Short mmCIF file of all heavy atoms in Angstrom, two decimals:
data_model
loop_
_atom_site.label_atom_id
_atom_site.label_comp_id
_atom_site.label_asym_id
_atom_site.label_seq_id
_atom_site.Cartn_x
_atom_site.Cartn_y
_atom_site.Cartn_z
N VAL A 437 71.04 121.84 -0.55
CA VAL A 437 71.70 120.62 -0.08
C VAL A 437 73.01 121.05 0.55
O VAL A 437 73.93 121.52 -0.13
CB VAL A 437 71.95 119.65 -1.27
CG1 VAL A 437 72.50 118.32 -0.76
CG2 VAL A 437 70.67 119.42 -2.06
N MET A 438 73.09 120.96 1.89
CA MET A 438 74.24 121.52 2.59
C MET A 438 75.16 120.40 3.08
O MET A 438 74.98 119.83 4.14
CB MET A 438 73.77 122.36 3.78
CG MET A 438 72.76 123.45 3.41
SD MET A 438 73.34 124.56 2.11
CE MET A 438 74.76 125.25 2.91
N LYS A 439 76.16 120.06 2.24
CA LYS A 439 77.14 119.03 2.57
C LYS A 439 78.47 119.71 2.86
O LYS A 439 78.63 120.90 2.60
CB LYS A 439 77.34 118.10 1.37
CG LYS A 439 76.11 117.34 0.96
CD LYS A 439 76.42 116.50 -0.26
CE LYS A 439 75.20 115.78 -0.77
NZ LYS A 439 75.42 115.13 -2.04
N ASP A 440 79.46 118.92 3.36
CA ASP A 440 80.78 119.50 3.61
C ASP A 440 81.44 119.95 2.31
O ASP A 440 82.11 120.97 2.26
CB ASP A 440 81.69 118.50 4.32
CG ASP A 440 81.34 118.43 5.81
OD1 ASP A 440 80.81 119.41 6.34
OD2 ASP A 440 81.58 117.37 6.42
N SER A 441 81.31 119.15 1.26
CA SER A 441 81.89 119.61 -0.01
C SER A 441 80.89 119.42 -1.14
O SER A 441 80.16 118.43 -1.17
CB SER A 441 83.20 118.87 -0.32
OG SER A 441 83.01 117.49 -0.29
N ALA A 442 80.89 120.38 -2.04
CA ALA A 442 79.95 120.34 -3.16
C ALA A 442 80.63 119.65 -4.34
O ALA A 442 81.82 119.37 -4.30
CB ALA A 442 79.55 121.76 -3.53
N SER A 443 79.88 119.40 -5.41
CA SER A 443 80.48 118.76 -6.57
C SER A 443 81.47 119.74 -7.20
O SER A 443 81.25 120.95 -7.22
CB SER A 443 79.40 118.34 -7.55
OG SER A 443 79.11 119.41 -8.42
N PRO A 444 82.59 119.22 -7.72
CA PRO A 444 83.61 120.10 -8.31
C PRO A 444 83.07 121.01 -9.39
O PRO A 444 83.46 122.17 -9.48
CB PRO A 444 84.65 119.13 -8.88
CG PRO A 444 84.43 117.84 -8.20
CD PRO A 444 82.99 117.80 -7.77
N LYS A 445 82.12 120.48 -10.19
CA LYS A 445 81.59 121.31 -11.29
C LYS A 445 80.80 122.50 -10.76
O LYS A 445 80.75 123.55 -11.39
CB LYS A 445 80.69 120.46 -12.19
CG LYS A 445 81.48 119.68 -13.23
CD LYS A 445 80.50 119.01 -14.19
CE LYS A 445 81.19 118.07 -15.15
NZ LYS A 445 82.09 118.71 -16.08
N ALA A 446 80.13 122.31 -9.60
CA ALA A 446 79.40 123.43 -9.01
C ALA A 446 80.38 124.44 -8.41
O ALA A 446 80.14 125.64 -8.43
CB ALA A 446 78.44 122.92 -7.93
N LEU A 447 81.49 123.93 -7.87
CA LEU A 447 82.48 124.82 -7.24
C LEU A 447 83.28 125.61 -8.28
O LEU A 447 83.48 126.82 -8.14
CB LEU A 447 83.43 123.98 -6.37
CG LEU A 447 84.51 124.73 -5.59
CD1 LEU A 447 83.90 125.62 -4.53
CD2 LEU A 447 85.50 123.75 -4.96
N VAL A 448 83.76 124.90 -9.30
CA VAL A 448 84.61 125.55 -10.31
C VAL A 448 83.98 125.36 -11.69
O VAL A 448 84.21 124.33 -12.35
CB VAL A 448 86.04 124.94 -10.32
CG1 VAL A 448 86.99 125.80 -11.15
CG2 VAL A 448 86.58 124.72 -8.93
#
Side-chain angles (χ1 to χ4, degrees):
V437 186
M438 306 305 299
K439 298 178 183 171
D440 282 335
S441 54
S443 87
K445 276 187 188 294
L447 181 66
V448 192

